[in-house]
mmCIF file of all heavy atoms in Angstrom:
data_model
loop_
_atom_site.group_PDB
_atom_site.id
_atom_site.type_symbol
_atom_site.label_atom_id
_atom_site.label_comp_id
_atom_site.label_asym_id
_atom_site.label_seq_id
_atom_site.Cartn_x
_atom_site.Cartn_y
_atom_site.Cartn_z
ATOM 1 N N LEU B 119 18.949 -9.403 -2.600
ATOM 2 C CA LEU B 119 20.056 -9.069 -3.485
ATOM 3 C C LEU B 119 20.226 -7.529 -3.608
ATOM 4 O O LEU B 119 21.302 -7.048 -3.705
ATOM 5 C CB LEU B 119 19.822 -9.704 -4.862
ATOM 6 C CG LEU B 119 19.873 -11.202 -4.956
ATOM 7 C CD1 LEU B 119 19.489 -11.679 -6.375
ATOM 8 C CD2 LEU B 119 21.280 -11.734 -4.636
ATOM 9 N N TRP B 120 19.062 -6.875 -3.685
ATOM 10 C CA TRP B 120 19.132 -5.379 -3.766
ATOM 11 C C TRP B 120 19.784 -4.820 -2.532
ATOM 12 O O TRP B 120 20.469 -3.827 -2.581
ATOM 13 C CB TRP B 120 17.719 -4.821 -3.952
ATOM 14 C CG TRP B 120 17.163 -4.898 -5.295
ATOM 15 C CD1 TRP B 120 16.965 -6.040 -6.029
ATOM 16 C CD2 TRP B 120 16.712 -3.781 -6.116
ATOM 17 N NE1 TRP B 120 16.391 -5.707 -7.197
ATOM 18 C CE2 TRP B 120 16.237 -4.309 -7.309
ATOM 19 C CE3 TRP B 120 16.681 -2.420 -5.934
ATOM 20 C CZ2 TRP B 120 15.748 -3.585 -8.371
ATOM 21 C CZ3 TRP B 120 16.212 -1.629 -6.981
ATOM 22 C CH2 TRP B 120 15.700 -2.215 -8.177
ATOM 23 N N LYS B 121 19.506 -5.424 -1.406
ATOM 24 C CA LYS B 121 20.001 -4.935 -0.137
ATOM 25 C C LYS B 121 21.545 -5.142 -0.143
ATOM 26 O O LYS B 121 22.295 -4.217 0.227
ATOM 27 C CB LYS B 121 19.335 -5.697 1.041
ATOM 28 C CG LYS B 121 19.558 -5.075 2.383
ATOM 29 C CD LYS B 121 18.655 -5.718 3.401
ATOM 30 C CE LYS B 121 19.068 -5.323 4.812
ATOM 31 N NZ LYS B 121 18.972 -3.890 5.081
ATOM 32 N N GLU B 122 21.975 -6.335 -0.547
ATOM 33 C CA GLU B 122 23.394 -6.649 -0.491
ATOM 34 C C GLU B 122 24.149 -5.829 -1.551
ATOM 35 O O GLU B 122 25.234 -5.254 -1.200
ATOM 36 C CB GLU B 122 23.609 -8.112 -0.766
ATOM 37 C CG GLU B 122 23.254 -9.037 0.373
ATOM 38 C CD GLU B 122 22.942 -10.425 -0.010
ATOM 39 O OE1 GLU B 122 23.383 -10.855 -1.142
ATOM 40 O OE2 GLU B 122 22.278 -11.164 0.774
ATOM 41 N N LEU B 123 23.604 -5.741 -2.719
ATOM 42 C CA LEU B 123 24.310 -5.054 -3.869
ATOM 43 C C LEU B 123 24.249 -3.563 -3.737
ATOM 44 O O LEU B 123 25.225 -2.858 -4.039
ATOM 45 C CB LEU B 123 23.685 -5.588 -5.130
ATOM 46 C CG LEU B 123 24.532 -5.449 -6.396
ATOM 47 C CD1 LEU B 123 25.786 -6.293 -6.291
ATOM 48 C CD2 LEU B 123 23.678 -5.952 -7.594
ATOM 49 N N TYR B 124 23.078 -2.997 -3.495
ATOM 50 C CA TYR B 124 22.867 -1.568 -3.548
ATOM 51 C C TYR B 124 22.562 -0.925 -2.254
ATOM 52 O O TYR B 124 22.292 0.286 -2.201
ATOM 53 C CB TYR B 124 21.649 -1.321 -4.490
ATOM 54 C CG TYR B 124 21.859 -1.732 -5.905
ATOM 55 C CD1 TYR B 124 21.007 -2.665 -6.516
ATOM 56 C CD2 TYR B 124 22.903 -1.226 -6.661
ATOM 57 C CE1 TYR B 124 21.144 -3.072 -7.804
ATOM 58 C CE2 TYR B 124 23.060 -1.614 -8.006
ATOM 59 C CZ TYR B 124 22.213 -2.555 -8.528
ATOM 60 O OH TYR B 124 22.367 -2.944 -9.824
ATOM 61 N N ASN B 125 22.592 -1.691 -1.169
ATOM 62 C CA ASN B 125 22.305 -1.114 0.116
ATOM 63 C C ASN B 125 20.841 -0.601 0.187
ATOM 64 O O ASN B 125 20.557 0.376 0.909
ATOM 65 C CB ASN B 125 23.267 0.030 0.399
ATOM 66 C CG ASN B 125 23.828 -0.090 1.831
ATOM 67 O OD1 ASN B 125 23.401 -0.963 2.556
ATOM 68 N ND2 ASN B 125 24.724 0.834 2.194
ATOM 69 N N ALA B 126 19.982 -1.191 -0.599
ATOM 70 C CA ALA B 126 18.585 -0.724 -0.603
ATOM 71 C C ALA B 126 17.945 -1.184 0.747
ATOM 72 O O ALA B 126 18.358 -2.082 1.355
ATOM 73 C CB ALA B 126 17.849 -1.424 -1.747
ATOM 74 N N GLU B 127 16.947 -0.346 1.115
ATOM 75 C CA GLU B 127 16.363 -0.600 2.426
ATOM 76 C C GLU B 127 14.927 -1.137 2.298
ATOM 77 O O GLU B 127 14.188 -0.725 1.434
ATOM 78 C CB GLU B 127 16.213 0.753 3.149
ATOM 79 C CG GLU B 127 17.499 1.339 3.521
ATOM 80 C CD GLU B 127 17.670 1.373 5.054
ATOM 81 O OE1 GLU B 127 17.003 0.643 5.760
ATOM 82 O OE2 GLU B 127 18.530 2.212 5.487
ATOM 83 N N TYR B 128 14.606 -2.108 3.123
ATOM 84 C CA TYR B 128 13.240 -2.616 3.130
ATOM 85 C C TYR B 128 12.285 -1.596 3.762
ATOM 86 O O TYR B 128 12.505 -1.135 4.879
ATOM 87 C CB TYR B 128 13.144 -3.926 3.916
ATOM 88 C CG TYR B 128 13.515 -5.146 3.153
ATOM 89 C CD1 TYR B 128 14.782 -5.666 3.312
ATOM 90 C CD2 TYR B 128 12.587 -5.759 2.338
ATOM 91 C CE1 TYR B 128 15.156 -6.824 2.588
ATOM 92 C CE2 TYR B 128 12.933 -6.957 1.655
ATOM 93 C CZ TYR B 128 14.244 -7.472 1.775
ATOM 94 O OH TYR B 128 14.595 -8.572 1.097
ATOM 95 N N ILE B 129 11.177 -1.270 3.037
ATOM 96 C CA ILE B 129 10.074 -0.536 3.671
ATOM 97 C C ILE B 129 9.112 -1.513 4.276
ATOM 98 O O ILE B 129 8.649 -1.355 5.407
ATOM 99 C CB ILE B 129 9.391 0.358 2.600
ATOM 100 C CG1 ILE B 129 10.363 1.359 2.000
ATOM 101 C CG2 ILE B 129 8.172 1.060 3.213
ATOM 102 C CD1 ILE B 129 10.938 2.376 3.007
ATOM 103 N N ASN B 130 8.836 -2.570 3.499
ATOM 104 C CA ASN B 130 7.970 -3.664 4.063
ATOM 105 C C ASN B 130 8.199 -4.906 3.204
ATOM 106 O O ASN B 130 8.242 -4.882 2.006
ATOM 107 C CB ASN B 130 6.479 -3.247 3.961
ATOM 108 C CG ASN B 130 5.612 -4.275 4.665
ATOM 109 O OD1 ASN B 130 5.299 -5.306 4.101
ATOM 110 N ND2 ASN B 130 5.139 -3.953 5.847
ATOM 111 N N GLY B 131 8.366 -6.029 3.878
ATOM 112 C CA GLY B 131 8.734 -7.276 3.183
ATOM 113 C C GLY B 131 7.579 -8.091 2.716
ATOM 114 O O GLY B 131 7.756 -9.099 2.016
ATOM 115 N N ASP B 132 6.340 -7.717 3.068
ATOM 116 C CA ASP B 132 5.241 -8.622 2.754
ATOM 117 C C ASP B 132 3.898 -7.985 2.497
ATOM 118 O O ASP B 132 3.252 -8.290 1.460
ATOM 119 C CB ASP B 132 5.052 -9.626 3.923
ATOM 120 C CG ASP B 132 4.167 -10.755 3.557
ATOM 121 O OD1 ASP B 132 4.363 -11.325 2.450
ATOM 122 O OD2 ASP B 132 3.308 -11.110 4.363
ATOM 123 N N LYS B 133 3.443 -7.050 3.325
ATOM 124 C CA LYS B 133 2.112 -6.515 3.145
ATOM 125 C C LYS B 133 2.068 -4.988 3.344
ATOM 126 O O LYS B 133 1.482 -4.480 4.316
ATOM 127 C CB LYS B 133 1.176 -7.134 4.176
ATOM 128 C CG LYS B 133 0.800 -8.604 3.854
ATOM 129 C CD LYS B 133 0.010 -9.215 4.942
ATOM 130 C CE LYS B 133 -0.339 -10.664 4.649
ATOM 131 N NZ LYS B 133 -0.715 -11.386 5.781
ATOM 132 N N PRO B 134 2.660 -4.253 2.367
ATOM 133 C CA PRO B 134 2.568 -2.793 2.495
ATOM 134 C C PRO B 134 1.178 -2.233 2.171
ATOM 135 O O PRO B 134 0.426 -2.896 1.545
ATOM 136 C CB PRO B 134 3.593 -2.353 1.401
ATOM 137 C CG PRO B 134 3.495 -3.434 0.386
ATOM 138 C CD PRO B 134 3.281 -4.691 1.163
ATOM 139 N N ILE B 135 1.011 -0.988 2.665
ATOM 140 C CA ILE B 135 -0.214 -0.290 2.221
ATOM 141 C C ILE B 135 0.256 0.722 1.119
ATOM 142 O O ILE B 135 1.323 1.360 1.238
ATOM 143 C CB ILE B 135 -0.790 0.560 3.402
ATOM 144 C CG1 ILE B 135 -1.430 -0.348 4.412
ATOM 145 C CG2 ILE B 135 -1.809 1.552 2.852
ATOM 146 C CD1 ILE B 135 -2.781 -0.941 4.085
ATOM 147 N N ILE B 136 -0.456 0.755 0.059
ATOM 148 C CA ILE B 136 -0.177 1.731 -0.996
ATOM 149 C C ILE B 136 -1.274 2.851 -0.844
ATOM 150 O O ILE B 136 -2.467 2.545 -0.688
ATOM 151 C CB ILE B 136 -0.350 1.107 -2.420
ATOM 152 C CG1 ILE B 136 0.428 -0.173 -2.541
ATOM 153 C CG2 ILE B 136 0.045 2.145 -3.501
ATOM 154 C CD1 ILE B 136 1.876 -0.043 -2.328
ATOM 155 N N ARG B 137 -0.808 4.079 -0.773
ATOM 156 C CA ARG B 137 -1.804 5.139 -0.540
ATOM 157 C C ARG B 137 -1.533 6.304 -1.501
ATOM 158 O O ARG B 137 -0.361 6.732 -1.726
ATOM 159 C CB ARG B 137 -1.737 5.651 0.885
ATOM 160 C CG ARG B 137 -2.887 6.600 1.188
ATOM 161 C CD ARG B 137 -2.924 7.039 2.671
ATOM 162 N NE ARG B 137 -3.975 8.018 2.820
ATOM 163 C CZ ARG B 137 -3.920 9.081 3.574
ATOM 164 N NH1 ARG B 137 -2.842 9.297 4.363
ATOM 165 N NH2 ARG B 137 -4.904 9.967 3.584
ATOM 166 N N LEU B 138 -2.618 6.832 -2.060
ATOM 167 C CA LEU B 138 -2.542 7.992 -2.941
ATOM 168 C C LEU B 138 -2.649 9.240 -2.102
ATOM 169 O O LEU B 138 -3.627 9.479 -1.415
ATOM 170 C CB LEU B 138 -3.687 7.941 -3.966
ATOM 171 C CG LEU B 138 -3.825 9.034 -4.994
ATOM 172 C CD1 LEU B 138 -2.607 9.040 -5.921
ATOM 173 C CD2 LEU B 138 -5.087 8.936 -5.779
ATOM 174 N N ILE B 139 -1.585 10.062 -2.080
ATOM 175 C CA ILE B 139 -1.586 11.300 -1.319
ATOM 176 C C ILE B 139 -1.209 12.449 -2.230
ATOM 177 O O ILE B 139 -0.164 12.416 -2.841
ATOM 178 C CB ILE B 139 -0.552 11.243 -0.135
ATOM 179 C CG1 ILE B 139 -0.842 9.991 0.752
ATOM 180 C CG2 ILE B 139 -0.588 12.513 0.704
ATOM 181 C CD1 ILE B 139 0.221 9.729 1.789
ATOM 182 N N ASP B 140 -2.065 13.431 -2.299
ATOM 183 C CA ASP B 140 -1.865 14.611 -3.182
ATOM 184 C C ASP B 140 -1.400 14.197 -4.620
ATOM 185 O O ASP B 140 -0.441 14.766 -5.151
ATOM 186 C CB ASP B 140 -0.782 15.593 -2.567
ATOM 187 C CG ASP B 140 -1.273 16.181 -1.251
ATOM 188 O OD1 ASP B 140 -2.501 16.293 -1.103
ATOM 189 O OD2 ASP B 140 -0.468 16.501 -0.408
ATOM 190 N N GLY B 141 -2.055 13.221 -5.143
ATOM 191 C CA GLY B 141 -1.837 12.857 -6.517
ATOM 192 C C GLY B 141 -0.615 11.933 -6.739
ATOM 193 O O GLY B 141 -0.239 11.614 -7.872
ATOM 194 N N GLU B 142 0.061 11.539 -5.668
ATOM 195 C CA GLU B 142 1.230 10.604 -5.788
ATOM 196 C C GLU B 142 0.978 9.358 -4.953
ATOM 197 O O GLU B 142 0.441 9.387 -3.862
ATOM 198 C CB GLU B 142 2.496 11.290 -5.186
ATOM 199 C CG GLU B 142 2.804 12.599 -5.772
ATOM 200 C CD GLU B 142 3.812 12.583 -6.873
ATOM 201 O OE1 GLU B 142 4.063 11.460 -7.418
ATOM 202 O OE2 GLU B 142 4.370 13.646 -7.221
ATOM 203 N N PHE B 143 1.431 8.225 -5.540
ATOM 204 C CA PHE B 143 1.298 6.960 -4.819
ATOM 205 C C PHE B 143 2.550 6.734 -3.934
ATOM 206 O O PHE B 143 3.657 6.898 -4.364
ATOM 207 C CB PHE B 143 1.121 5.784 -5.791
ATOM 208 C CG PHE B 143 -0.249 5.665 -6.335
ATOM 209 C CD1 PHE B 143 -0.553 6.209 -7.613
ATOM 210 C CD2 PHE B 143 -1.247 5.050 -5.600
ATOM 211 C CE1 PHE B 143 -1.864 6.128 -8.033
ATOM 212 C CE2 PHE B 143 -2.545 4.944 -6.084
ATOM 213 C CZ PHE B 143 -2.842 5.486 -7.290
ATOM 214 N N TYR B 144 2.207 6.359 -2.692
ATOM 215 C CA TYR B 144 3.301 6.047 -1.718
ATOM 216 C C TYR B 144 3.160 4.579 -1.304
ATOM 217 O O TYR B 144 2.019 4.108 -1.096
ATOM 218 C CB TYR B 144 3.239 6.942 -0.497
ATOM 219 C CG TYR B 144 3.623 8.334 -0.769
ATOM 220 C CD1 TYR B 144 2.749 9.282 -1.325
ATOM 221 C CD2 TYR B 144 4.944 8.795 -0.505
ATOM 222 C CE1 TYR B 144 3.183 10.587 -1.584
ATOM 223 C CE2 TYR B 144 5.298 10.040 -0.784
ATOM 224 C CZ TYR B 144 4.462 10.991 -1.341
ATOM 225 O OH TYR B 144 4.861 12.234 -1.616
ATOM 226 N N ALA B 145 4.299 3.926 -1.136
ATOM 227 C CA ALA B 145 4.329 2.608 -0.523
ATOM 228 C C ALA B 145 4.721 2.787 0.940
ATOM 229 O O ALA B 145 5.732 3.425 1.246
ATOM 230 C CB ALA B 145 5.322 1.701 -1.246
ATOM 231 N N CYS B 146 3.869 2.245 1.831
ATOM 232 C CA CYS B 146 4.011 2.568 3.237
ATOM 233 C C CYS B 146 4.301 1.344 4.074
ATOM 234 O O CYS B 146 3.660 0.275 3.890
ATOM 235 C CB CYS B 146 2.769 3.231 3.726
ATOM 236 S SG CYS B 146 2.233 4.589 2.693
ATOM 237 N N GLY B 147 5.203 1.505 5.007
ATOM 238 C CA GLY B 147 5.491 0.451 5.971
ATOM 239 C C GLY B 147 4.309 0.173 6.859
ATOM 240 O O GLY B 147 3.525 1.056 7.131
ATOM 241 N N THR B 148 4.231 -1.090 7.310
ATOM 242 C CA THR B 148 3.168 -1.485 8.258
ATOM 243 C C THR B 148 3.819 -2.509 9.225
ATOM 244 O O THR B 148 4.852 -3.079 8.968
ATOM 245 C CB THR B 148 2.004 -2.219 7.544
ATOM 246 O OG1 THR B 148 2.387 -3.535 7.172
ATOM 247 C CG2 THR B 148 1.536 -1.441 6.289
ATOM 248 N N PRO B 149 3.103 -2.731 10.356
ATOM 249 C CA PRO B 149 3.671 -3.722 11.281
ATOM 250 C C PRO B 149 3.575 -5.168 10.727
ATOM 251 O O PRO B 149 4.297 -6.075 11.223
ATOM 252 C CB PRO B 149 2.697 -3.635 12.533
ATOM 253 C CG PRO B 149 2.102 -2.281 12.387
ATOM 254 C CD PRO B 149 1.990 -2.004 10.911
ATOM 255 N N TRP B 150 2.797 -5.353 9.671
ATOM 256 C CA TRP B 150 2.637 -6.655 9.036
ATOM 257 C C TRP B 150 3.738 -6.760 7.971
ATOM 258 O O TRP B 150 3.537 -6.268 6.876
ATOM 259 C CB TRP B 150 1.238 -6.848 8.513
ATOM 260 C CG TRP B 150 0.219 -6.981 9.580
ATOM 261 C CD1 TRP B 150 -0.226 -8.122 10.126
ATOM 262 C CD2 TRP B 150 -0.434 -5.878 10.318
ATOM 263 N NE1 TRP B 150 -1.147 -7.814 11.172
ATOM 264 C CE2 TRP B 150 -1.257 -6.501 11.303
ATOM 265 C CE3 TRP B 150 -0.357 -4.505 10.238
ATOM 266 C CZ2 TRP B 150 -2.030 -5.707 12.153
ATOM 267 C CZ3 TRP B 150 -1.133 -3.742 11.115
ATOM 268 C CH2 TRP B 150 -1.939 -4.353 12.042
ATOM 269 N N ARG B 151 4.859 -7.434 8.287
ATOM 270 C CA ARG B 151 5.952 -7.361 7.360
ATOM 271 C C ARG B 151 6.559 -8.730 7.048
ATOM 272 O O ARG B 151 7.631 -8.829 6.597
ATOM 273 C CB ARG B 151 7.036 -6.421 7.863
ATOM 274 C CG ARG B 151 7.358 -6.536 9.320
ATOM 275 C CD ARG B 151 8.061 -5.282 9.879
ATOM 276 N NE ARG B 151 7.684 -5.082 11.261
ATOM 277 C CZ ARG B 151 8.056 -4.052 12.030
ATOM 278 N NH1 ARG B 151 8.860 -3.153 11.514
ATOM 279 N NH2 ARG B 151 7.686 -3.915 13.251
ATOM 280 N N GLY B 152 5.789 -9.788 7.228
ATOM 281 C CA GLY B 152 6.244 -11.100 6.807
ATOM 282 C C GLY B 152 7.063 -11.795 7.844
ATOM 283 O O GLY B 152 7.437 -11.229 8.859
ATOM 284 N N LYS B 153 7.342 -13.073 7.596
ATOM 285 C CA LYS B 153 8.006 -13.887 8.659
ATOM 286 C C LYS B 153 9.428 -13.437 8.948
ATOM 287 O O LYS B 153 9.935 -13.580 10.040
ATOM 288 C CB LYS B 153 7.924 -15.359 8.343
ATOM 289 C CG LYS B 153 8.494 -15.785 6.999
ATOM 290 C CD LYS B 153 8.315 -17.331 6.787
ATOM 291 C CE LYS B 153 8.890 -17.797 5.506
ATOM 292 N NZ LYS B 153 8.347 -17.269 4.291
ATOM 293 N N GLU B 154 10.098 -12.824 7.942
ATOM 294 C CA GLU B 154 11.438 -12.334 8.216
ATOM 295 C C GLU B 154 11.446 -10.983 8.960
ATOM 296 O O GLU B 154 12.508 -10.530 9.346
ATOM 297 C CB GLU B 154 12.251 -12.198 6.889
ATOM 298 C CG GLU B 154 12.617 -13.472 6.195
ATOM 299 C CD GLU B 154 11.537 -13.914 5.248
ATOM 300 O OE1 GLU B 154 10.525 -13.204 5.134
ATOM 301 O OE2 GLU B 154 11.684 -14.958 4.595
ATOM 302 N N CYS B 155 10.276 -10.343 9.053
ATOM 303 C CA CYS B 155 10.161 -9.050 9.711
ATOM 304 C C CYS B 155 10.988 -7.951 9.039
ATOM 305 O O CYS B 155 11.554 -7.131 9.737
ATOM 306 C CB CYS B 155 10.525 -9.172 11.175
ATOM 307 S SG CYS B 155 9.164 -9.721 12.166
ATOM 308 N N PHE B 156 11.081 -8.001 7.706
ATOM 309 C CA PHE B 156 11.768 -6.933 7.009
ATOM 310 C C PHE B 156 10.874 -5.729 6.878
ATOM 311 O O PHE B 156 9.731 -5.870 6.384
ATOM 312 C CB PHE B 156 12.218 -7.394 5.607
ATOM 313 C CG PHE B 156 13.273 -8.433 5.616
ATOM 314 C CD1 PHE B 156 13.423 -9.353 4.595
ATOM 315 C CD2 PHE B 156 14.261 -8.416 6.653
ATOM 316 C CE1 PHE B 156 14.404 -10.310 4.622
ATOM 317 C CE2 PHE B 156 15.276 -9.348 6.621
ATOM 318 C CZ PHE B 156 15.332 -10.300 5.626
ATOM 319 N N GLY B 157 11.328 -4.563 7.259
ATOM 320 C CA GLY B 157 10.520 -3.362 7.066
ATOM 321 C C GLY B 157 10.698 -2.402 8.238
ATOM 322 O O GLY B 157 11.300 -2.741 9.259
ATOM 323 N N LYS B 158 10.106 -1.227 8.007
ATOM 324 C CA LYS B 158 10.232 -0.214 9.055
ATOM 325 C C LYS B 158 9.106 0.796 8.980
ATOM 326 O O LYS B 158 8.310 0.738 7.989
ATOM 327 C CB LYS B 158 11.598 0.509 8.961
ATOM 328 C CG LYS B 158 11.805 1.209 7.605
ATOM 329 C CD LYS B 158 13.143 1.868 7.552
ATOM 330 C CE LYS B 158 13.410 2.513 6.209
ATOM 331 N NZ LYS B 158 14.645 3.268 6.125
ATOM 332 N N ASN B 159 9.040 1.682 9.931
ATOM 333 C CA ASN B 159 8.022 2.719 9.896
ATOM 334 C C ASN B 159 8.464 3.836 9.060
ATOM 335 O O ASN B 159 9.048 4.817 9.505
ATOM 336 C CB ASN B 159 7.741 3.151 11.371
ATOM 337 C CG ASN B 159 6.540 4.086 11.466
ATOM 338 O OD1 ASN B 159 5.979 4.458 10.428
ATOM 339 N ND2 ASN B 159 6.164 4.442 12.667
ATOM 340 N N ALA B 160 8.122 3.734 7.736
ATOM 341 C CA ALA B 160 8.535 4.787 6.778
ATOM 342 C C ALA B 160 7.700 4.610 5.546
ATOM 343 O O ALA B 160 6.990 3.618 5.360
ATOM 344 C CB ALA B 160 9.987 4.559 6.430
ATOM 345 N N MET B 161 7.651 5.627 4.699
ATOM 346 C CA MET B 161 7.006 5.533 3.443
ATOM 347 C C MET B 161 7.855 6.118 2.294
ATOM 348 O O MET B 161 8.753 6.929 2.582
ATOM 349 C CB MET B 161 5.621 6.155 3.489
ATOM 350 C CG MET B 161 5.553 7.565 4.044
ATOM 351 S SD MET B 161 3.846 7.889 4.578
ATOM 352 C CE MET B 161 3.168 8.537 3.076
ATOM 353 N N VAL B 162 7.628 5.674 1.099
ATOM 354 C CA VAL B 162 8.443 6.102 -0.009
ATOM 355 C C VAL B 162 7.561 6.221 -1.262
ATOM 356 O O VAL B 162 6.530 5.519 -1.435
ATOM 357 C CB VAL B 162 9.614 5.096 -0.269
ATOM 358 C CG1 VAL B 162 9.015 3.702 -0.668
ATOM 359 C CG2 VAL B 162 10.571 5.566 -1.326
ATOM 360 N N LYS B 163 7.904 7.191 -2.135
ATOM 361 C CA LYS B 163 7.135 7.368 -3.324
ATOM 362 C C LYS B 163 7.297 6.107 -4.210
ATOM 363 O O LYS B 163 8.416 5.649 -4.418
ATOM 364 C CB LYS B 163 7.657 8.591 -4.070
ATOM 365 C CG LYS B 163 6.491 9.442 -4.668
ATOM 366 C CD LYS B 163 7.075 10.641 -5.396
ATOM 367 C CE LYS B 163 6.964 11.878 -4.504
ATOM 368 N NZ LYS B 163 7.412 13.116 -5.256
ATOM 369 N N LEU B 164 6.214 5.598 -4.692
ATOM 370 C CA LEU B 164 6.238 4.391 -5.493
ATOM 371 C C LEU B 164 6.723 4.719 -6.907
ATOM 372 O O LEU B 164 6.179 5.521 -7.565
ATOM 373 C CB LEU B 164 4.849 3.739 -5.544
ATOM 374 C CG LEU B 164 4.726 2.370 -6.218
ATOM 375 C CD1 LEU B 164 5.649 1.348 -5.515
ATOM 376 C CD2 LEU B 164 3.282 1.864 -6.138
#
Side-chain angles (χ1 to χ4, degrees):
Chain B
L119 292 174
W120 280 60
K121 195 170 167 60
E122 287 158 19
L123 200 62
Y124 297 121
N125 228 356
E127 293 246 21
Y128 276 98
I129 299 296
N130 186 285
D132 193 44
K133 287 174 179 159
I135 291 282
I136 311 299
R137 189 177 175 217
L138 182 64
I139 303 171
D140 294 333
E142 306 263 16
F143 281 97
Y144 288 82
C146 309
T148 75
W150 289 265
R151 44 200 145 180
K153 55 182 184 299
E154 290 90 359
C155 278
F156 290 150
K158 58 180 179 177
N159 187 354
M161 51 200 271
V162 63
K163 219 179 262 184
L164 186 58

